[in-house]
Amino acid sequence: MIDDNIFNELNEQQQNAVNCSLGNKLILAGAGSGKTRVLTCRVAKLIDSFNVKPSNILALTFTNKASAEMKQRLEKILRISSQGLWFGTFHGICRRLLKIHWREAGISEFFSILDSQDQLRIIKRIIKGKNLDENLYDPKVLQSFINTQKDKGKRYNTIQGNDDDKYKDIFKDYDDVCRQTNSVDFADLILLSYEMLKNNPKILEYYKDRFKNIMVDEFQDTNTLQFNLLKLINGATGSLYAVGDDDQSIYGWRGARSKNIQHFKDEFNNVEIFKLEQNYRSTEKILNVANALISKNIERLGKNLWTESNKGEPVYLYEAYNNDDESRFIGDKIGELTKQNYKRSQIAILYRSNFLSRRLEEELNARAIPYKIYGGFRFFERAEIKDIIAYLKISVNSSDNTAFERTINNPPRGIGEKTLSSIRQYGKENSLSLWETIQDMHKKTTMGSRVLKSIEDYINIVLNIADLTKNLNLKDLIQKTTELSTLKSYYAGKKGEESLSKLENLEELMSTAERFEQNNLDSDSILSDFLDNASLEAGEYQSKLHEDPIQLMTIHSAKGLEFPIVFLTGLEEGIFPNENRNNSKGFLEEERRLCYVAITRAMEKLYITFANGRFLHGSFSHLMPSRFINEIPDDLLENVKSNFQPVYRYKKTKYNEEEDYSQEEHIENYSQEENTRYNKYSFKIGQKVRHMKFGDGVIVSYTGKEENLKLHINFESYGRKWLVLSYAHLDFL
């Protein structure tokens, strides 16, 4: 018998969601509203009051951690083992199905599951076997392509509208290898289960009859295939209990469909909707800011978070002169907060993109404040940064075998492991460094013509970089290294969030180099000092958990977490919302949801910061405050006093989703002198311009001086473009 006090502790909205009748239910659970408690209590209610057998319940989550937490809570409530229940992730449950019905699925009884690296190795072998260029047919891009198609429920023979048939051919070959080796990948676990159930009506009827009650957590994160699998098993008579929050749908870039939760009522029969709006995490003032922002989204089901806790402190807004000032402000505040007996681990610094962590890391290191990058790597530990550092190292120290190994086939240039093994063996036998080895082997032409050409290209790249080290400053040297190594073009030619992030990090490395050079004007060897500093930061300065570190993370990594104190940084147009992600109609609403998620991570104190300018692309760019700041009413934000005169003043205007953001409409009384004092040209941020090809646009920011001045212009028909002013032939309107 269950203790009724468990249910009595629920608030009214939670009780309604737990005690509702059987049937299809959608629970809109706001951030911090106790959704895990509701899910657990609902399962207990089904067993205790509706006489549902545990074996008739299927509970699906997105992480093993969430599944384990629900199991533990349920066992505590029921005081019995939850062994009879099917609890698990989508992939875990589908694996279980396939282990039972492997024959019907057309696979081996003893199939193996491929992880991401296994999958990538197979694709690489296929590309090599077809004699394809990895620069044109990137293994990671193909991996993403295959997984995306499977997530949509498609095989290679059902794909429509793809321009390159070789993608389909590689997909087919990949599937063939999987079958030959009795292997399945993660996407296949769900797709095979779906196909097996769809093609076997008797088995499907069995599971429809067995799992009359299906529970799903984080429903807003389901993709197309997961949604269709749920529809299939639930059928016309099932009871699907879906818990999610359309306002926290932030994974569209990896296949999640926010529309699944929005269309729930249309896709399932007799749906009843419940809202969980009471928040147990944040103060009233933080929730007011979150509600005001997310209300600007048009495509949402709608809810309004509230709390019975105290109103709390105001949400603070800090306008920084530049990113140095922003980082200094955050460092000062952390010092104040730790003196107030807050632990450093209670403080989180959130940012939209990984590259923004760099200046923050510098500030924390300078103050000897330990920190941890949650869900990612420190700046100098990131692969693309280590790649460029390695190219610089081999160019100044040809004996650096570690740098050689990292750069010789990076990006891929057709130098495989067999060739590398022969290089290592030759060098060992002749007591040569690997760099000396390839030059010696090249002279003796002991390699095939194709490999020989790749080796020649690599040698020329390194020699060219070495030559540039004598004449260029640090920033320009790094810029040229990203180009000569072809790493920049390699990432630019790839699609996806990961590649965009790598390009941003490469650009930030240029800005980091410029700041380092300015701060070390008395250095006898600036490049050597910079390389040593990079090694130190990637090594001995790493904080340990017992040091109580500050938490640094992207907003995506912060999903599901909470902190007493949150700094939300880098809220400038082009950075957040991120202009590089503007590739779909729903991009802006997802960016706003991302900002909403960031705000609702804060429990007690929230600091929002933006800078009037940042070092971007290796030079200083003037920026505008994010439209998300503009969308928050003035009376909900308290401006923190600064040591400089603010550049921007706001007036609130009605936001229109269909129109692009007009900076001119949102800014007034800004300093013309601030925008033009370094340049002979007369213009202002927010000014309208006209170009003979691109049409009308608005100046968003600028970088450079005099003849090298570049304007960042948001054109109505062509989007954002950088134009050199002296060549652009602009009409200023």
Side-chain angles (χ1 to χ4, degrees):
M1 187 72 181
I2 299 174
D3 187 352
D4 285 337
N5 287 327
I6 299 293
F7 302 111
N8 294 334
E9 291 172 357
L10 302 173
N11 65 43
E12 184 178 353
Q13 289 183 330
Q14 291 173 333
Q15 287 183 3
N16 291 337
V18 168
N19 296 326
C20 62
S21 61
L22 299 179
N24 296 315
K25 314 294 180 185
L26 176 60
I27 316 300
L28 292 176
S33 62
K35 69 176 178 67
T36 303
R37 171 184 280 193
V38 167
L39 265 169
T40 308
C41 288
R42 176 61 177 178
V43 175
K45 178 64 68 171
L46 289 175
I47 296 170
D48 186 63
S49 302
F50 290 90
N51 297 317
V52 175
K53 296 178 181 178
S55 59
N56 293 138
I57 298 173
L58 172 63
L60 293 158
T61 63
F62 275 84
T63 65
N64 289 316
K65 181 182 177 184
S67 180
E69 184 183 352
M70 284 181 62
K71 277 185 179 180
Q72 290 171 1
R73 290 195 184 190
L74 189 62
E75 288 178 350
K76 187 176 181 181
I77 293 173
L78 294 174
R79 299 171 185 170
I80 60 170
S81 173
S82 62
Q83 193 170 359
L85 286 87
W86 277 40
F87 262 86
T89 63
F90 275 91
H91 293 101
I93 293 297
C94 286
R95 174 197 170 275
R96 189 169 179 177
L97 277 172
L98 293 176
K99 284 292 181 182
I100 299 170
H101 302 287
W102 56 270
R103 186 177 287 105
E104 291 83 358
I107 57 176
S108 167
E109 181 180 4
F110 305 104
F111 64 85
S112 302
I113 299 175
L114 301 172
D115 63 21
S116 181
Q117 290 304 311
D118 295 331
Q119 189 183 26
L120 196 60
R121 278 192 287 271
I122 293 172
I123 294 169
K124 284 182 175 180
R125 286 201 298 270
I126 293 169
I127 293 171
K128 186 177 181 181
K130 289 180 174 293
N131 291 317
L132 298 174
D133 188 347
E134 282 196 14
N135 289 310
L136 297 175
Y137 297 93
D138 182 83
K140 286 190 174 181
V141 173
L142 278 156
Q143 182 183 33
S144 176
F145 169 77
I146 291 170
N147 290 337
T148 299
Q149 297 306 317
K150 288 184 179 181
D151 287 343
K152 294 178 180 177
K154 297 180 179 180
R155 296 289 184 187
Y156 63 86
N157 56 350
T158 61
I159 300 171
Q160 301 293 326
N162 188 57
D163 294 332
D164 195 339
D165 286 336
K166 280 198 170 53
Y167 272 52
K168 297 179 188 177
D169 292 341
I170 293 169
F171 189 174
K172 180 183 182 302
D173 290 350
Y174 170 78
D175 264 4
D176 290 342
V177 171
C178 289
R179 300 296 169 264
Q180 291 163 8
T181 58
N182 298 323
S183 304
V184 299
D185 56 41
F186 287 116
D188 243 345
L189 288 171
I190 301 176
L191 182 52
L192 283 167
S193 296
Y194 176 78
E195 292 170 337
M196 182 272 296
L197 291 170
K198 193 174 182 180
N199 296 328
N200 293 272
K202 288 185 178 179
I203 297 175
L204 175 60
E205 285 303 313
Y206 169 80
Y207 284 106
K208 285 168 69 174
D209 186 62
R210 176 171 180 174
F211 298 132
K212 288 186 178 295
N213 293 274
I214 303 175
M215 327 286 289
V216 185
D217 191 16
E218 303 288 3
F219 190 79
Q220 77 279 353
D221 293 335
T222 54
N223 61 33
T224 301
L225 184 59
Q226 291 163 341
F227 186 77
N228 289 337
L229 179 65
L230 289 170
K231 284 178 64 179
L232 192 65
I233 299 175
N234 194 63
T237 59
S239 293
L240 176 59
Y241 194 87
V243 181
D245 185 2
D246 57 326
D247 291 333
Q248 296 190 75
S249 180
I250 60 174
Y251 297 113
W253 50 275
R254 69 182 190 194
R257 291 181 77 247
S258 61
K259 293 187 182 297
N260 286 351
I261 195 168
Q262 294 165 0
H263 294 168
F264 187 90
K265 199 168 183 177
D266 302 323
E267 296 288 342
F268 294 91
N269 300 326
N270 303 317
V271 172
E272 193 174 4
I273 298 177
F274 298 87
K275 295 182 181 181
L276 305 182
E277 297 174 301
Q278 184 174 354
N279 178 280
Y280 294 92
R281 175 186 298 157
S282 307
T283 64
E284 181 181 321
K285 290 187 176 180
I286 291 172
L287 294 181
N288 287 342
V289 169
N291 288 329
L293 176 68
I294 201 64
S295 69
K296 304 300 181 187
N297 270 4
I298 298 169
E299 295 184 356
R300 63 188 295 259
L301 296 171
K303 61 184 177 304
N304 201 62
L305 297 182
W306 60 276
T307 181
E308 289 183 344
S309 72
N310 62 355
K311 289 188 176 181
E313 294 185 26
V315 173
Y316 301 104
L317 178 66
Y318 183 74
E319 178 180 354
Y321 174 68
N322 56 23
N323 45 336
D324 290 339
D325 183 41
E326 180 186 56
S327 300
R328 177 201 57 77
F329 167 76
I330 293 171
D332 288 346
K333 279 296 170 186
I334 289 172
E336 293 174 15
L337 291 164
T338 52
K339 289 179 181 178
Q340 297 171 20
N341 294 321
Y342 282 101
K343 292 182 178 180
R344 288 188 292 264
S345 56
Q346 293 178 303
I347 303 171
I349 306 174
L350 309 184
Y351 36 81
R352 172 62 182 87
S353 302
N354 266 308
F355 79 92
L356 291 170
S357 77
R358 176 63 215 141
R359 183 62 190 87
L360 295 165
E361 290 185 60
E362 285 181 353
E363 186 70 27
L364 296 173
N365 279 328
R367 296 172 183 253
I369 298 174
Y371 67 93
K372 176 186 177 184
I373 303 287
Y374 185 92
F377 295 98
R378 292 166 177 251
F379 186 79
F380 281 110
E381 293 173 338
R382 294 166 191 167
E384 60 278 13
I385 302 301
K386 293 172 76 172
D387 292 342
I388 295 299
I389 296 296
Y391 270 105
L392 292 171
K393 284 182 174 180
I394 190 68
S395 69
V396 296
N397 178 14
S398 60
S399 299
D400 191 330
N401 285 350
T402 303
F404 176 93
E405 292 263 17
R406 189 172 189 95
T407 55
I408 180 67
N409 197 42
N410 188 13
R413 47 176 68 93
I415 303 172
E417 185 56 37
K418 185 178 179 181
T419 302
L420 287 172
S421 295
S422 65
I423 292 171
R424 295 185 194 108
Q425 186 63 32
Y426 187 99
K428 186 178 180 180
E429 291 173 356
N430 295 277
S431 301
L432 299 172
S433 70
L434 297 180
W435 173 256
E436 292 169 329
T437 299
I438 61 170
Q439 290 183 313
D440 200 45
M441 292 176 72
H442 178 258
K443 290 175 185 176
K444 296 177 181 178
T445 61
T446 58
M447 296 172 284
S449 58
R450 184 177 173 183
V451 174
L452 194 65
K453 176 64 169 60
S454 297
I455 294 288
E456 285 177 355
D457 291 343
Y458 174 72
I459 291 172
N460 288 331
I461 288 170
V462 175
L463 291 176
N464 284 335
I465 295 172
D467 190 54
L468 292 173
T469 61
K470 304 169 187 175
N471 304 309
L472 293 182
N473 61 41
L474 195 55
K475 183 200 84 174
D476 291 342
L477 174 62
I478 287 174
Q479 182 178 4
K480 286 293 185 183
T481 302
T482 64
E483 294 170 359
L484 288 170
S485 66
T486 69
L487 281 167
K488 183 178 180 179
S489 59
Y490 176 67
Y491 291 125
K494 299 167 75 175
K495 299 177 181 178
E497 186 81 10
E498 184 182 358
S499 296
L500 286 170
S501 180
K502 289 179 182 295
L503 285 171
E504 289 171 342
N505 283 330
L506 291 179
E507 290 172 351
E508 181 61 19
L509 183 61
M510 288 188 284
S511 300
T512 300
E514 185 167 52
R515 287 195 302 273
F516 186 87
E517 195 158 29
Q518 290 173 352
N519 295 331
N520 295 273
L521 296 174
D522 58 346
S523 172
D524 294 327
S525 179
I526 192 69
L527 176 57
S528 177
D529 290 349
F530 180 75
L531 294 175
D532 288 347
N533 180 72
S535 298
L536 288 170
E537 285 206 28
E540 66 184 53
Y541 289 162
Q542 295 185 44
S543 74
K544 304 295 186 290
L545 289 177
H546 69 267
E547 292 180 301
D548 183 34
I550 300 290
Q551 310 290 310
L552 274 70
M553 66 194 75
T554 64
I555 303 168
H556 283 103
S557 297
K559 177 74 162 56
L561 304 177
E562 59 184 33
F563 305 92
I565 301 156
V566 169
F567 291 89
L568 177 54
T569 67
L571 262 76
E572 300 102 39
E573 276 298 299
I575 293 178
F576 196 12
N578 192 307
E579 65 182 6
N580 292 327
R581 277 71 175 180
N582 187 4
N583 56 3
S584 64
K585 184 182 178 183
F587 129 86
L588 188 57
E589 293 218 346
E590 179 153 325
E591 289 286 290
R592 191 176 286 107
R593 291 195 294 269
L594 191 61
C595 192
Y596 173 81
V597 166
I599 292 168
T600 54
R601 299 312 94 193
M603 300 166 68
E604 300 174 19
K605 300 178 189 284
L606 174 62
Y607 297 87
I608 298 173
T609 67
F610 71 95
N612 292 156
R614 290 183 184 273
F615 278 94
L616 298 171
H617 316 291
S619 54
F620 191 80
S621 295
H622 289 263
L623 301 169
M624 297 183 60
S626 169
R627 71 189 72 191
F628 299 152
I629 295 174
N630 184 72
E631 291 170 356
I632 301 169
D634 288 333
D635 59 353
L636 298 182
L637 298 172
E638 182 170 304
N639 290 289
V640 180
K641 290 184 179 179
S642 177
N643 295 324
F644 75 99
Q645 185 67 32
V647 175
Y648 299 103
R649 297 288 185 267
Y650 313 110
K651 65 179 180 180
K652 304 300 177 182
T653 61
K654 184 178 180 180
Y655 179 76
N656 186 345
E657 171 78 65
E658 300 301 319
E659 296 179 2
D660 207 346
Y661 182 69
S662 172
Q663 289 83 358
E664 190 174 53
E665 292 177 357
H666 290 257
I667 306 241
E668 61 180 1
N669 299 329
Y670 49 82
S671 170
Q672 175 67 21
E673 182 185 357
E674 180 66 30
N675 292 331
T676 60
R677 62 184 175 179
Y678 300 115
N679 300 286
K680 67 182 182 181
Y681 301 98
S682 180
F683 65 89
K684 54 188 181 182
I685 295 175
Q687 185 169 354
K688 289 185 177 180
V689 297
R690 182 168 293 155
H691 187 269
M692 57 187 287
K693 178 180 178 181
F694 303 127
D696 291 348
V698 176
I699 299 173
V700 177
S701 65
Y702 72 88
T703 185
K705 301 176 185 179
E706 305 301 332
E707 276 69 29
N708 294 319
L709 180 71
K710 291 193 291 185
L711 298 182
H712 199 187
I713 302 171
N714 189 9
F715 290 103
E716 293 176 2
S717 302
Y718 288 84
R720 296 174 184 253
K721 295 186 178 295
W722 284 97
L723 299 179
V724 178
L725 182 55
S726 56
Y727 298 105
H729 303 297
L730 292 171
D731 293 324
F732 292 87
L733 306 178

